[in-house]
Amino acid sequence: MRIPAPAGAATRRWASQRAGRGVTRPVSFMTDEEIAQSLMQLAHERGAGKTFCPSDAAQRLAQDWRPMMPRVRQVAAQIGLCATQKGKVVDPVSATGPIRLSLGPDKPVQER
């Protein structure tokens, strides 16, 4: 017997797909370049002085995004994004707990 999906489930799924989430490629096949592109796209979308969670980038790349988080943090460190925790600059790889990423003060926002 099939149990019906909750009301609105299709709408939520569709909205997440529209937002660029829900890619079904396995995490192991994601390249650092794809991760870097997702991170930089978010950073430029947010703009100077604004932060974002690294999980936002991971969620754009895979449905099962949690296993990607260590790689996302490593790539963020490699491309020079500024990582903060409670307003203080931290190393994104060694920091424990939630962090926020942003363009550093020396990285200009690209005009679209």
Side-chain angles (χ1 to χ4, degrees):
M1 177 178 188
R2 241 179 107 191
I3 299 172
T11 304
R12 283 194 302 272
R13 191 175 315 118
W14 183 77
S16 68
Q17 290 168 345
R18 267 190 35 219
R21 298 183 186 117
V23 177
T24 57
R25 288 179 56 200
V27 172
S28 59
F29 291 112
M30 293 291 163
T31 66
D32 287 354
E33 290 79 22
E34 289 172 307
I35 296 170
Q37 182 179 10
S38 182
L39 287 166
M40 291 307 291
Q41 182 179 5
L42 270 169
H44 288 291
E45 285 173 6
R46 298 292 161 91
K50 303 290 183 178
T51 64
F52 64 96
C53 183
S55 67
D56 294 340
Q59 289 172 12
R60 287 184 173 200
L61 296 169
Q63 284 181 324
D64 187 19
W65 55 271
R66 284 181 178 86
M68 290 184 67
M69 291 307 298
R71 276 189 62 205
V72 170
R73 285 179 174 225
Q74 288 172 347
V75 172
Q78 291 170 359
I79 63 175
L81 288 177
C82 180
T84 57
Q85 191 172 54
K86 297 182 182 179
K88 296 181 181 176
V89 176
V90 295
D91 174 39
V93 177
S94 63
T96 58
I99 63 170
R100 303 289 294 177
L101 297 173
S102 66
L103 294 170
D106 57 339
K107 297 212 187 262
V109 176
Q110 292 178 349
E111 294 297 323
R112 292 192 174 252

